[in-house]
Amino acid sequence: MPPKNEPLFSLIVPAYNVEAYIAQCIESILTQDCSNFELILVDDGSTDRTGQICEQYKKQSPQLSIISQNREKVNSKIASPSIKVLHQLNSGLSAARNTGVAESSGKYLIFIDGDDYLEPGALTAIQNALEPTLDLLRYQAQEVFPDGKKIRYEEASFATLSGVEAFKRLVHNHYTENAWLYAYRRQFFVSNHFQYATGCIAEDFGLTPLIIACASTVKSIPDICYNYRQREGSITHDTTQIARRTTDAIQQLQDILPKIAAIPHAEPILHYLVVSYLTGATELSYPDFLQVYQESKQNGLLRYIHPSSPKALPRAFLLKHFPGLFYRMYHH
C-alpha cells in the first residue's frame, strides 16, 4: 500500500475544447467507489468552456484547487490536494500529459482523455488486480458511438509476465499502444524518464511499446474499465492529419527503435512498430507511400521486419518484396 498521504492513483485528464464531454469524464471519476486518488485536470488552453467547467467543479468541492501554469505557479504548496486543475497555454495532448505526470504524487498513473470516461467500478477492479512492485497493469476498453452503440473488447487476461513476453500477448489485442489502457507505477515511469513527444499527434504510438518493453512486470485483466468515445472532429478520426501522423510516427521511431533494440529478445516489438508504421502510411497517396517506403528502406527500418508467427508472414513478405501490392491490399 502507498505511504500515508500518497494516493494510490493519479488520474491525469488532458482536456482541450471538450466542453460537451468533460463533465461526464469528471463525474465518472468522482463517482467511483474507490476514492484513494488524486484527479489532475489539465486544461490545455481551451477556447471553449472546458476551463470554466473545471472551475465549476472547484466551486463545488472544498478540495479543489487551481494551479496556473502560464510560466508561474500560484498556490503550488498545497498539502495533498485530491483534485488539481492546471491551466496552461495550448501545447498539445502530449505536453498536457507530461504536465500531469510532473504534478502527480500517486503510486500509479492513469490517463483519461477529456472526451472519454471511466466505467463504474473501474478503479476498484484495477486496485484489486495490483501487486507489489507491478510496473504495468493492462485493462480493457469499449468504443462508444453517438447513437449509443457500444463495442466491447473483452481481451484475454494474463498473469504477471516480463514486458517483452507481455507484448507478445498484447499485440493481438484490438488496441495495444493507447496510453489510456494502462495503469503505470509512477516510480517506474519517472525513473525511466518517459516523456510523450511534444507536438506529436501520435504521441503514444512509439512510447507505449517502449514502456511495455522496459517493464519488469506486466499483468492484464479482462475488465472493461474505459469508455472510448467515437466522434467526428477528434484527432484520431481527422483524415486531414494523415501526413502529419506519418511524420510524427517516424520521428518517434528514430528515437525509440534503438532503445527497444537494446532490450534482449525485443524483436517482436521492433517488428510490430515498423509494420504498423508502414501499414499506416498506406493511408497516404501511392506516390507519398512509395516515398515513405523508400526512405524507410534507406534508413534501415526494413531490417526490423522479422515476423514471429506464421500469421504475420504474408504481410511481412509483401512489405519487404512487393510494396506496390502491399499498398493495394492495405490502402483504404
Side-chain angles (χ1 to χ4, degrees):
M1 296 302 294
K4 188 176 181 180
N5 298 325
E6 178 192 45
L8 181 59
F9 299 117
S10 291
L11 306 178
I12 298 170
V13 180
Y16 174 72
N17 286 357
V18 287
E19 63 179 2
Y21 311 108
I22 188 63
Q24 183 179 16
C25 176
I26 295 172
E27 291 291 343
S28 77
I29 294 167
L30 298 181
T31 55
Q32 291 288 311
D33 49 13
C34 168
S35 60
N36 190 6
F37 66 84
E38 63 176 359
L39 172 58
I40 303 175
L41 302 166
V42 186
D43 171 26
D44 187 40
S46 297
T47 57
D48 65 0
R49 295 185 60 255
T50 298
Q52 288 124 313
I53 293 170
C54 292
E55 298 253 11
Q56 290 172 7
Y57 280 91
K58 169 195 172 184
K59 295 176 181 178
Q60 293 172 11
S61 172
Q63 297 175 325
L64 196 60
S65 59
I66 289 190
I67 300 178
S68 175
Q69 288 242 316
N70 294 324
R71 299 204 174 190
E72 291 186 12
K73 294 181 183 178
V74 296
N75 298 330
S76 58
K77 295 182 179 179
I78 300 173
S80 301
S82 62
I83 303 177
K84 300 177 184 178
V85 179
L86 300 100
H87 297 281
Q88 65 181 28
L89 299 176
N90 179 244
S91 305
L93 175 61
S94 53
R97 284 182 180 157
N98 293 336
T99 295
V101 172
E103 291 290 338
S104 66
S105 61
K107 185 173 182 180
Y108 282 88
L109 306 173
I110 292 177
F111 298 105
I112 307 163
D113 287 356
D115 53 350
D116 297 333
Y117 57 100
L118 292 182
E119 272 288 276
L123 294 185
T124 296
I126 295 170
Q127 180 178 9
N128 291 342
L130 294 176
E131 301 171 359
T133 70
L134 183 69
D135 288 334
L136 206 58
L137 179 72
R138 159 76 183 220
Y139 43 87
Q140 314 309 328
Q142 63 183 358
E143 296 173 345
V144 181
F145 293 83
D147 62 0
K149 176 185 175 183
K150 296 181 179 180
I151 300 178
R152 297 170 61 86
Y153 295 102
E154 296 173 311
E155 312 287 1
S157 61
F158 54 80
T160 305
L161 297 170
S162 69
V164 171
E165 290 301 314
F167 191 88
K168 294 177 183 178
R169 306 276 191 99
L170 295 171
V171 74
H172 299 296
N173 290 359
H174 187 79
Y175 293 110
T176 300
E177 68 268 17
N178 302 75
W180 34 257
L181 277 174
Y182 301 88
Y184 311 78
R185 187 165 63 86
R186 186 170 62 88
Q187 186 56 42
F188 159 70
F189 194 100
V190 172
S191 64
N192 280 280
H193 307 289
F194 295 132
Q195 287 270 318
Y196 291 97
T198 302
C200 285
I201 60 173
E203 74 291 331
D204 44 11
F205 166 68
L207 184 60
T208 301
L210 175 63
I211 292 172
I212 296 170
C214 290
S216 297
T217 50
V218 182
K219 180 180 178 181
S220 179
I221 59 175
D223 305 67
I224 301 286
C225 294
Y226 195 90
N227 289 286
Y228 179 29
R229 193 187 302 274
Q230 307 297 297
R231 65 181 181 92
E232 293 183 5
S234 67
I235 293 174
T236 304
H237 294 90
D238 189 350
T239 57
T240 65
Q241 298 282 5
I242 293 171
R244 183 183 169 189
R245 283 201 298 269
T246 304
T247 301
D248 287 353
I250 191 59
Q251 289 178 349
Q252 289 190 72
L253 290 184
Q254 289 170 346
D255 174 59
I256 286 171
L257 288 177
K259 296 177 182 178
I260 296 178
I263 299 172
H265 312 299
E267 292 81 6
I269 305 177
L270 298 168
H271 171 84
Y272 168 83
L273 284 170
V274 173
V275 172
S276 294
Y277 166 64
L278 291 173
T279 301
T282 62
E283 296 183 55
L284 299 168
S285 68
Y286 184 58
D288 288 343
F289 167 78
L290 284 182
Q291 181 178 347
V292 167
Y293 180 85
Q294 291 301 326
E295 290 175 353
S296 299
K297 189 174 182 179
Q298 292 168 7
N299 293 332
L301 264 64
L302 299 191
R303 74 179 185 272
Y304 294 122
I305 300 178
H306 290 290
S308 57
S309 68
K311 185 178 180 181
L313 279 171
R315 181 184 296 205
F317 181 79
L318 289 176
L319 192 50
K320 273 195 166 184
H321 303 289
F322 300 98
L325 181 56
F326 177 87
Y327 179 86
R328 287 193 292 273
M329 288 190 65
Y330 292 98
H331 174 70
H332 59 277

